[in-house]
Amino acid sequence: MKSAIARTLTTLLHGALRGLLRAWVLVVPLVLALSLVRLGQLAYFWPSGYQASGADLTAVVIQGLRFDLKVSAIAGFVLLLLLPWVSGKVQARIAGVVAFVFVMASLVNLHYFGFYKTPIDSLVFGLVEDDTAAVLETIWRDFPVIWTLLLAAALTWAAIALHRGLVQRLQPDTLLQTRHAMTKVLVAVLVLFAMLFAGKGTLRQMALQRQHLTVTTSQFLNDMVPNGIIALKYAWDSRGQSQNLSDPLVGLKAMGFESPQAAAQALGLPMGSDEEVKAALYQHDPLPMGTAKKNLVFFLMESWSAEPMLYQSPQFDVLGRLAPTLTDPSKVCHFRNFDSAHAGTHPSLEAILFSTPITPLTLGDVGRKPIPWALAKVVKDAGYQTLFVTSARSGWRDLNRVLKVQGFDEVVDANTLKEAYPEATLGIWGVWDSYVFKYLSKRMAAQPTDKPLFVFVLTSTNHPPYDLPADYQRVPRDMGLWKGETNSETLIPNLDSYHYAADLLGGFVQEVQSGPLKDTTIIAGTGDHNVRSFGVYAEASRRYLVRQVPFVIWGSKLHCGNQLDQPASHRDMFNTLLPLAGIDAPYINAGRNLLKPLSAQPDPVNAPRAMFFTGEARNAQGMWQLGNKASFVCSSAKPPAAQCEFNALDDQQERARYGLLDWHVRISLKK
């Protein structure tokens, strides 16, 4: 009995080891074949007269090789279900099929780039959604199908030949047959972990993702990084994430309204027709005659939570140079009861730029076409030069493509900043935020006075793992002054990176306020979302903090009004900033103007409430999920004067606002 068990275990061990070694023997020719296609693609599409540095070319080749290794290792790992148990002849056939699929996908990617000037994206699925016969006929007429198939066959044959040679030389089936069992176990474990790390694409950093396709400032070179398999994978992801906008009433019905007219009625808006309701979403107070346009610089600060600011003091410094900029009410309006739109960077970014509760909105086909009410487009049409600056890689979530389509004249990212400042180091998320502020100072000083500038800045350093530059001087703090939760082991590192980012922003604000642009520039900043380091906010008394981020406006001769402590959220920011900057344009009224004094009379459209775009709302008493009375939680920085309870009218009006914003996106973008 024991000998039978031992024989079975030995057989399984031999099979596992044989499969792992066979998988690695398969990975090598796949990687080489994909890399050859990439080099051929670079040569085939190299623009006439185009110059690129050796460093950029090396970065593209190395990053491409890493993605090739990633997809090949994943294929080998999946095939472990078969490779240990099949014969050598079947193993060779499997290798041939996989090699052909990988090579053919990359050759398709090559031709796709030649047609669309982009790697394979979600449009590729038009092959089955459009007139398939017509598409295939067009491909047959316009592309070298025969030559492509012949090249695929030649590369596949070469991969098979290399695979056969490796099998004969390394003999994965018998290499360790006579070795000790413990040696076999050790080798199996090492080879397995090597396969896993290869599939991850890195040893110590995060796994290779879409954002890592951006390695240079050249879009052409970046487009050479993905092989056909990874491009197809990301295209599939985008397709799955894109929303079905065919039914414009989906969101309204989810909020309890059968039509946009019913929702408009709840808000006291005109409701004669769909067109009248839609027009009402764009109505706003006209600006006084002769209002001059000002530069508008907006910061979306990574993980810039509101809670640390509650405890700011000389003994607990989390703001650095930002602290003194928050004291003069004629120069700053600090909204202290403010929520983000989402719990993630990209959803908040989309909510701000496109006033959409639907996310992801722009990862598919929608992002490839101009959205008429996109913030940057509206401001650009008003006569501004528009600039997006980030310390991250703009290849993340396809921002490098989407933002230029949606109204930004320029997109400056980590690779641009690395080129401008060679001493900058590229980390997990990009370069240190300091290079953003260096770039902005130089750029704004050179801006022509007759062309107002709109800058949207996205920072990245205040993000896990909370790494900071080697020369950053950490600030000692009395942690006894921290009144929040202390469970997170990353609390102190997070406070350090928070201070780093806030201090840089404060330095920039001080520079502008003491310079020639002080009277012609509005600066604003908010956080994209709260962070888990500062707690889970399970206690009802602290629950109001769960979504809170700062919202601060700096300018000259400001009149902040009576809403600084009223509930507000991301949807209100540009309804406030655009009039302040002198921009009279057809922007959507996603929220209210926070500098406009609250009316003594009830006003559904301008009521002091906050909205979280996953379907939650908050008033001065507490917070709740829209349409769910039982979810209401009494939670407020100050005990409410009135009895704390669910307000059905508040809920109805917020459901109407949410439903109309959803409807507006769907009806406007419906195909």
Side-chain angles (χ1 to χ4, degrees):
M1 181 68 177
K2 291 182 178 179
S3 61
I5 294 175
R7 284 196 300 272
T8 301
L9 292 175
T10 301
T11 300
L12 290 174
L13 177 59
H14 284 167
L17 188 55
R18 180 169 59 248
L20 286 167
L21 294 175
R22 282 178 168 183
W24 267 114
V25 169
L26 172 62
V27 165
V28 174
L30 291 179
V31 170
L32 290 176
L34 295 178
S35 295
L36 280 174
V37 175
R38 177 178 297 100
L39 293 174
Q41 183 172 334
L42 266 168
Y44 188 69
F45 290 114
W46 192 267
S48 177
Y50 180 75
Q51 299 292 325
S53 69
D56 282 350
L57 284 174
T58 301
V60 168
V61 171
I62 292 176
Q63 195 76 337
L65 183 66
R66 293 176 67 195
F67 275 101
D68 296 343
L69 183 61
K70 176 184 177 75
V71 298
S72 300
I74 290 173
F77 193 79
V78 171
L79 287 172
L80 286 177
L81 296 172
L82 296 175
L83 290 178
W85 322 115
V86 299
S87 66
K89 185 179 292 186
V90 173
Q91 173 202 355
R93 290 174 180 171
I94 291 174
V97 171
V98 175
F100 180 81
V101 170
F102 273 47
V103 167
M104 197 64 205
S106 284
L107 291 175
V108 169
N109 184 59
L110 181 151
H111 290 304
Y112 195 93
F113 177 83
F115 187 83
Y116 289 106
K117 310 308 177 191
T118 177
I120 291 173
D121 61 11
S122 58
L123 289 180
V124 75
F125 300 108
L127 176 65
V128 294
E129 294 174 337
D130 297 334
D131 185 338
T132 303
V135 172
L136 291 175
E137 182 179 353
T138 302
I139 292 173
W140 178 259
R141 287 173 178 267
D142 294 349
F143 292 90
V145 176
I146 299 298
W147 284 108
T148 299
L149 290 172
L150 289 174
L151 180 58
L155 287 171
T156 301
W157 177 86
I160 293 173
L162 177 58
H163 177 265
R164 184 184 302 115
L166 290 172
V167 169
Q168 292 174 353
R169 184 173 182 83
L170 299 177
Q171 298 182 349
D173 293 359
T174 60
L175 180 63
L176 296 174
Q177 197 171 52
T178 61
R179 301 299 176 92
H180 192 274
M182 288 306 297
T183 302
K184 296 175 183 179
V185 171
L186 180 60
V187 172
V189 171
L190 291 175
V191 174
L192 176 61
F193 273 96
M195 186 72 70
L196 291 173
F197 279 122
K200 182 184 177 186
T202 180
L203 291 177
R204 63 173 295 270
Q205 296 181 338
M206 69 172 63
L208 287 178
Q209 300 175 24
R210 186 196 296 255
Q211 70 194 65
H212 297 112
L213 296 175
T214 305
V215 293
T216 75
T217 56
S218 166
Q219 188 62 55
F220 168 77
L221 292 178
N222 292 335
D223 285 341
M224 301 296 112
V225 173
N227 54 59
I229 296 296
I230 202 71
L232 190 61
K233 190 266 184 189
Y234 289 143
W236 180 261
D237 290 347
S238 294
R239 175 178 170 80
Q241 292 169 330
S242 296
Q243 304 296 309
N244 182 0
L245 303 177
S246 59
D247 183 359
L249 299 180
V250 168
L252 277 169
K253 290 180 178 179
M255 289 293 110
F257 300 96
E258 292 299 316
S259 68
Q261 287 76 23
Q265 183 179 23
L267 295 171
L269 296 175
M271 55 180 187
S273 64
D274 284 3
E275 290 72 22
E276 194 172 354
V277 173
K278 189 174 180 180
L281 296 177
Y282 287 86
Q283 292 177 355
H284 50 82
D285 296 335
L287 298 179
M289 291 291 293
T291 302
K293 292 185 174 68
K294 295 184 177 182
N295 299 315
L296 178 56
V297 185
F298 177 84
F299 290 88
L300 186 61
M301 304 285 286
E302 171 64 44
S303 302
W304 201 37
S305 305
E307 187 174 13
M309 297 180 72
L310 298 177
Y311 316 129
Q312 166 66 25
S313 72
Q315 294 75 36
F316 191 86
D317 184 11
V318 291
L319 296 181
R321 287 173 291 172
L322 190 69
T325 72
L326 300 175
T327 57
D328 187 342
S330 68
K331 294 182 178 179
V332 63
C333 300
H334 178 193
F335 298 91
R336 297 177 287 264
N337 196 4
F338 197 85
D339 291 0
S340 65
H342 279 280
T345 301
H346 188 256
S348 286
L349 185 65
E350 287 200 324
I352 294 166
L353 291 176
F354 309 112
S355 299
T356 173
I358 303 171
T359 189
L361 181 68
T362 59
L363 291 185
D365 298 341
V366 169
R368 298 173 63 90
K369 304 172 184 177
I371 297 174
W373 69 93
L375 176 64
K377 182 182 183 302
V378 169
V379 176
K380 181 177 180 178
D381 291 345
Y384 279 68
Q385 184 173 357
T386 55
L387 176 65
F388 187 95
V389 183
T390 179
S391 54
R393 295 175 176 88
S394 62
W396 176 70
R397 298 295 182 100
D398 251 1
L399 291 183
N400 51 344
R401 298 184 188 283
V402 170
L403 295 175
K404 289 183 179 179
V405 174
Q406 305 306 337
F408 283 101
D409 295 317
E410 297 177 62
V411 176
V412 174
D413 75 339
N415 294 294
T416 315
L417 296 171
K418 171 67 175 175
E419 188 173 77
Y421 304 99
E423 72 278 10
T425 55
L426 281 168
I428 292 178
W429 295 106
V431 298
W432 304 121
D433 287 346
S434 59
Y435 294 102
V436 164
F437 292 93
K438 286 182 181 180
Y439 180 87
L440 278 178
S441 296
K442 184 177 179 180
R443 180 60 182 271
M444 292 191 68
Q447 182 68 15
T449 56
D450 61 343
K451 185 73 172 179
L453 182 66
F454 170 59
V455 187
F456 193 110
V457 182
L458 174 64
T459 66
S460 66
T461 299
N462 185 35
H463 189 286
Y466 309 117
D467 288 337
L468 288 169
D471 60 352
Y472 172 72
Q473 298 296 316
R474 297 180 184 269
V475 177
R477 298 181 187 88
D478 180 359
M479 290 303 296
L481 299 176
W482 172 259
K483 304 304 180 184
E485 299 170 44
T486 58
N487 294 338
S488 174
E489 61 184 14
T490 61
L491 173 60
I492 293 177
N494 196 172
L495 290 173
D496 286 337
S497 59
Y498 186 103
H499 174 274
Y500 168 83
D503 177 72
L504 287 172
L505 177 58
F508 178 79
V509 171
Q510 290 187 31
E511 178 183 324
V512 172
Q513 288 184 336
S514 62
L517 298 176
K518 62 180 180 180
D519 295 323
T520 58
T521 300
I522 300 296
I523 303 172
T526 190
D528 55 354
H529 53 75
N530 199 346
V531 293
R532 59 182 177 271
S533 296
F534 299 148
V536 296
Y537 304 99
E539 297 178 20
S541 61
R542 284 172 45 80
R543 188 66 182 168
Y544 74 97
L545 288 168
V546 69
R547 313 295 189 195
Q548 290 216 329
V549 293
F551 177 47
V552 188
I553 302 173
W554 293 272
S556 61
K557 301 177 181 178
L558 293 177
H559 301 282
C560 298
N562 61 355
Q563 299 204 53
L564 294 179
D565 293 305
Q566 296 294 333
S569 57
H570 274 168
R571 65 174 177 177
D572 304 307
M573 292 188 300
F574 281 91
N575 279 72
T576 304
L577 293 172
L578 295 183
L580 183 62
I583 301 172
D584 190 6
Y587 55 89
I588 187 168
N589 282 321
R592 68 189 195 271
N593 187 338
L594 299 178
L595 298 180
K596 182 180 178 181
L598 285 175
S599 172
Q601 301 299 320
D603 184 354
V605 176
N606 294 298
R609 295 187 288 259
M611 180 186 287
F612 196 64
F613 272 18
T614 56
E616 297 175 38
R618 190 170 62 82
N619 58 20
Q621 294 185 324
M623 55 196 303
W624 71 99
Q625 292 180 343
L626 294 176
N628 184 357
K629 179 180 179 180
S631 67
F632 181 81
V633 177
C634 291
S635 186
S636 178
K638 299 178 180 179
Q643 183 178 356
C644 182
E645 60 184 10
F646 176 78
N647 187 309
L649 183 60
D650 281 3
D651 177 62
Q652 180 194 46
Q653 292 173 355
E654 288 305 304
R655 284 188 288 110
R657 291 294 294 271
Y658 185 98
L660 285 177
L661 287 177
D662 183 283
W663 169 79
H664 171 261
V665 174
R666 296 180 187 275
I667 197 69
S668 302
L669 300 180
K670 183 181 178 182
K671 297 178 182 178

